Amino acid sequence: MWEKISLIWRIPEIRKKILIVLGLLVVFRVAAHIPIPGVNTSELQSFFNSNQFLGLLNIFSGGALENFSIVMLGVGPYITASIIFQLLVMIIPRLEELQKEGERGQQKINQWTRLLTVPLAVLQGYATITFLKQQQGAQLIGTLSSFDLVVALVTVTAGTIFLMWIGELISEQKVGNGISLLIFAGIVAQIPLQIQQLAATFDATQILNVGVFVLIGLITIAGVVYVTEAQRNIPVSYARRIRGNRMFGGVNTHLPLRVNQAGVIPIIFAVSLVLFPSLIAQFFVNSTNATVAGIAQWVTTAFQGGWLYGTLYFILVFAFTYFYTSVVFHPNQVAENLQKQGGFIPGIRPGRHTEEYLGYVSNRIILAGALFLGIVAVLPIALQSAAPSQSLVIGGTSLLIVVSVVIETVRQIESQLIVRDYEGF
């Protein structure tokens, strides 16, 4: 590992790219600590720690939301816009054709995604400000005039566009995905503070619990790496073809099918749905109707980490894993492309039989990935129930994001080293 690191720093081009990425991440972290005037940041941080839905949004803003900073929305609106267009590509044939056009079609879809980010950022910013004002009143956010509200919305929308631009600048350096690295930086930046808080409340009687938590964390990280890298290799053979005086094909290769093709997206979808009832119920807790207020209070309590929340969370993660995999993986298109290129799976007829075989294999290996994602998602809930006095340094969703980003970044850096064909690498 140290030889690879020293090799990276000896290559001026790669060293320059890494320094540019680090500089852009520093700019992001500085912007995340510039608050919008009129906000009680200390009260806001404690409120975010007690609200799981806003805690998730805070993850994607890199901790900027709890500071109510100029980039408080983070890249959340851009991620939402990207997911919307991924789903629309499956529904609208024109978009699907555009995506198949290659780089030109993808550039158009990316441009539309950026444009959709703007209204989504305005709506999310307005909803967040309104929600915080209704929850805690002037304790969190002071009285905002119409002009102040417009200024705040313009500021946070511009902040999201600014982060989107920084993310694209990072992606251009080819040392990792820019949006993912921004989220990664926000998660990692919170770890020292949480460790400091844990150390401040630590006593000798908790050493066994802390040791167990560390052990579980290391096992979970190893499991995430293993499942993220795991894949099923489907053997593929290409028939020999003669064109003029040259012969093509006649080679054996494989088609890799990942166990976890959906990544962290199922957890994002699931947690958004499972926390939605609690978010709505909080608006009715102070209702003048005693029955409505009682129901709202029960829903709020039930969906704050109990067995009902954990069970529903696991089921939704499991279901969304299959759903999102069906969105990104199309056995019919893979089978069609193989047939066009003269490829076939040994023992399987081309066409419909290949499509059915790929669908069968995909559904079986996704079962392991869906179960693993569900377990990782509810693991923090189970640990908090077992030891309520202990605070988790990093949750399941954050852990998946961190590990996935590190693996992707390492791959891109290694690919640049391999391109330069350094001996011994």
Side-chain angles (χ1 to χ4, degrees):
M1 180 184 69
W2 295 112
E3 291 179 0
K4 292 181 181 179
I5 294 176
S6 62
L7 181 60
I8 290 171
W9 286 103
R10 288 200 303 267
I11 304 173
E13 184 180 354
I14 298 181
R15 182 173 67 245
K16 179 181 177 182
K17 290 182 177 182
I18 293 177
L19 291 176
I20 290 175
V21 170
L22 292 176
L24 292 173
L25 293 179
V26 170
V27 172
F28 160 59
R29 295 310 306 160
V30 171
H33 289 81
I34 302 177
I36 295 175
V39 179
N40 189 335
T41 55
S42 60
E43 292 288 339
L44 194 64
Q45 290 175 1
S46 62
F47 177 65
F48 271 76
N49 292 334
S50 63
N51 189 295
Q52 297 188 37
F53 178 78
L54 293 178
L56 177 71
L57 296 180
N58 189 48
I59 289 176
F60 291 104
S61 68
L65 188 55
E66 67 181 5
N67 296 327
F68 215 75
S69 72
I70 58 176
V71 292
M72 72 172 192
L73 300 180
V75 292
Y78 179 75
I79 293 175
T80 304
S82 300
I83 294 173
I84 289 174
F85 269 99
Q86 286 181 4
L87 297 177
L88 288 178
V89 166
M90 300 298 301
I91 300 173
I92 303 176
R94 179 68 186 92
L95 288 177
E96 185 176 1
E97 294 175 2
L98 189 63
Q99 189 181 45
K100 292 180 180 179
E101 292 181 3
E103 184 178 355
R104 175 179 170 274
Q106 192 60 45
Q107 287 179 352
K108 282 189 175 181
I109 294 178
N110 290 340
Q111 184 63 24
W112 293 340
T113 303
R114 299 186 192 103
L115 294 176
L116 181 60
T117 302
V118 176
L120 288 178
V122 175
L123 289 175
Q124 185 174 330
Y126 179 78
T128 303
I129 294 173
T130 304
F131 174 73
L132 293 177
K133 290 178 66 176
Q134 291 182 354
Q135 286 296 304
Q136 298 292 338
Q139 294 182 5
L140 290 179
I141 302 177
T143 303
L144 295 178
S145 64
S146 299
F147 177 77
D148 293 334
L149 179 61
V150 170
V151 170
L153 291 179
V154 171
T155 302
V156 298
T157 302
T160 296
I161 304 304
F162 176 67
L163 290 188
M164 184 174 64
W165 176 61
I166 287 181
E168 293 182 355
L169 290 179
I170 293 176
S171 298
E172 290 176 359
Q173 304 303 318
K174 300 187 184 302
V175 290
N177 180 275
I179 302 300
S180 300
L181 280 174
L182 290 177
I183 300 174
F184 168 83
I187 295 173
V188 173
Q190 298 179 42
I191 294 179
L193 178 60
Q194 295 187 15
I195 293 178
Q196 181 182 3
Q197 294 175 351
L198 178 63
T201 58
F202 177 79
D203 58 66
T205 60
Q206 298 177 346
I207 188 169
L208 180 61
N209 290 338
V210 173
V212 171
F213 271 57
V214 172
L215 179 62
I216 293 175
L218 294 176
I219 294 175
T220 305
I221 292 174
V224 170
V225 174
Y226 181 78
V227 174
T228 302
E229 294 290 280
Q231 64 184 31
R232 168 77 180 272
N233 293 330
I234 306 296
V236 176
S237 299
Y238 288 90
R240 292 184 178 181
R241 294 172 295 173
I242 299 177
R243 294 181 180 177
N245 296 327
R246 302 183 62 182
M247 180 179 294
F248 298 88
V251 297
N252 296 322
T253 181
H254 65 269
L255 175 68
L257 295 182
R258 291 196 171 275
V259 173
N260 179 21
Q261 300 185 49
V264 74
I265 297 297
I267 292 183
I268 298 173
F269 282 1
V271 79
S272 300
L273 283 183
V274 79
L275 293 178
F276 186 73
S278 175
L279 180 65
I280 297 299
Q282 289 178 2
F283 286 97
F284 299 95
V285 170
N286 298 323
S287 174
T288 55
N289 189 310
T291 304
V292 173
I295 295 175
Q297 185 61 46
W298 180 85
V299 171
T300 302
T301 305
F303 281 83
Q304 286 295 324
W307 66 269
L308 177 62
Y309 169 83
T311 303
L312 185 59
Y313 191 11
F314 180 87
I315 294 174
L316 287 174
V317 170
F318 187 89
F320 274 122
T321 302
Y322 274 90
F323 169 75
Y324 193 75
T325 301
S326 67
V327 172
V328 298
F329 178 70
H330 311 286
N332 58 332
Q333 294 182 2
V334 176
E336 181 182 352
N337 292 334
L338 283 177
Q339 190 172 13
K340 288 180 179 179
Q341 297 169 6
F344 63 93
I345 300 175
I348 307 296
R349 290 183 178 181
R352 181 175 59 85
H353 296 279
T354 299
E355 176 187 344
E356 293 176 352
Y357 177 76
L358 291 175
Y360 172 76
V361 173
S362 177
N363 288 333
R364 293 194 56 161
I365 63 176
I366 290 172
L367 176 63
L371 289 174
F372 178 79
L373 282 181
I375 292 173
V376 170
V378 301
L379 182 61
I381 302 173
L383 294 178
Q384 289 284 61
S385 300
S389 60
Q390 295 291 331
S391 61
L392 295 178
V393 173
I394 186 169
T397 305
S398 303
L399 184 63
L400 279 172
I401 294 173
V402 168
V403 173
S404 300
V405 171
V406 170
I407 292 175
E408 181 183 5
T409 304
V410 169
R411 279 178 179 169
Q412 291 198 21
I413 294 177
E414 286 186 344
S415 65
Q416 294 199 41
L417 292 174
I418 293 173
V419 166
R420 288 161 177 79
D421 194 23
Y422 278 89
E423 184 179 358
F425 183 75

